[in-house]
Amino acid sequence: MDPQVEKILKLPTKQKILILVLVVIVEAAALLYVLYLPKYKELNGLEADLSRLQNEIDEKTRVANNLPRLQREYDQLNRELAQALTELPNSKEIPSLLTSITTLGKGAGLDFLVFKPKAEAPKDFYAEVPVDITVSGSYYSVANFFAAVANLPRIVNITNVAFADIKNVNNRMMTKVTCLATTFRFLDKKEIKDDKKKPAPK
């Protein structure tokens, strides 16, 4: 018999029980380390995967629930874009639009002293098309002209309005008016691309 075993067998009962308990504890710890801990780590990994998948499901469910609203918003944006397209002319339509402005002014009874298109100012996807205007006529004619311009199907802003040479002629208040008429047009893809290549102003 192994001498070590003989020594253990000769020990008092309490010590033998203590040794047995220690052996059981060591074996239990070994089993825990070898069998339980890997499974525990695997379980934690599965729980993390489950949580991630649940979050993905919740997110997709939220998107699916919002889909009708998003579709309505998308359709509304398309309608607004279509409306904007009718209000912003392209480059080919600008001359006829400017002609329409002068026609409205003359139709209101105004004389055009200055009608000077200025350099366009490109923005993100459109360009401002400013025009210096000076007209002479009655207050009533000026008011009618501005109202007619405001009712154009295209966007035309009248700013920097200044009145001068106000006088009474045959019981009519006559004046000379200078203003800046600004319309807008869409830039085509090539113009947008070329504009992006330009160096930023210093």
Side-chain angles (χ1 to χ4, degrees):
M1 183 178 292
D2 191 314
Q4 296 296 332
V5 175
E6 288 184 3
K7 286 183 180 181
I8 293 173
L9 292 175
K10 291 178 180 179
L11 291 173
T13 302
K14 288 184 178 181
Q15 291 185 6
K16 287 191 284 188
I17 293 173
L18 180 60
I19 291 173
L20 179 62
V21 170
L22 289 174
V23 170
V24 170
I25 291 174
V26 169
E27 289 182 352
L31 287 173
L32 177 66
Y33 183 79
V34 173
L35 299 178
Y36 177 74
L37 286 181
K39 295 295 183 182
Y40 179 75
K41 291 180 180 179
E42 182 181 353
L43 179 61
N44 282 344
L46 291 174
E47 288 178 346
D49 290 341
L50 179 62
S51 178
R52 177 178 55 80
L53 290 173
Q54 186 61 53
N55 288 337
E56 290 180 3
I57 291 171
D58 292 344
E59 177 64 19
K60 287 179 171 55
T61 301
R62 184 184 65 80
V63 172
N65 291 338
N66 287 333
L67 191 58
R69 178 180 61 81
L70 295 174
Q71 183 64 48
R72 288 194 299 272
E73 292 177 357
Y74 175 77
D75 293 340
Q76 178 63 27
L77 288 174
N78 275 338
R79 287 192 293 270
E80 291 175 359
L81 177 60
Q83 178 63 28
L85 287 171
T86 66
E87 296 179 357
L88 294 187
N90 56 40
S91 58
K92 294 180 180 178
E93 295 175 289
I94 289 296
S96 62
L97 176 59
L98 298 182
T99 300
S100 297
I101 293 174
T102 58
T103 300
L104 290 174
K106 292 176 181 178
L110 297 175
D111 294 323
F112 277 83
L113 307 178
V114 175
F115 191 88
K116 183 181 178 182
K118 302 171 69 174
E120 293 185 354
K123 303 298 181 182
D124 291 334
F125 60 91
Y126 67 93
E128 294 180 350
V129 185
V131 181
D132 280 330
I133 294 177
T134 302
V135 293
S136 64
S138 68
Y139 274 107
Y140 180 76
S141 296
V142 171
N144 283 342
F145 171 56
F146 287 166
V149 170
N151 288 326
L152 283 170
R154 305 298 192 185
I155 299 174
V156 181
N157 292 337
I158 301 292
T159 57
N160 300 346
V161 179
F163 292 85
D165 296 340
I166 301 171
K167 53 190 174 182
N168 189 324
V169 178
N170 297 326
N171 293 323
R172 296 178 65 197
M173 295 303 297
M174 307 298 288
T175 184
K176 182 169 72 174
V177 179
T178 60
C179 63
L180 180 68
T182 305
T183 187
F184 309 86
R185 71 172 182 86
F186 273 114
L187 298 174
D188 59 36
K189 292 181 180 179
K190 183 178 183 303
E191 288 176 311
I192 294 174
K193 185 176 180 181
D194 291 343
D195 186 58
K196 288 182 178 179
K197 290 181 180 179
K198 294 179 182 178
K202 296 181 180 179

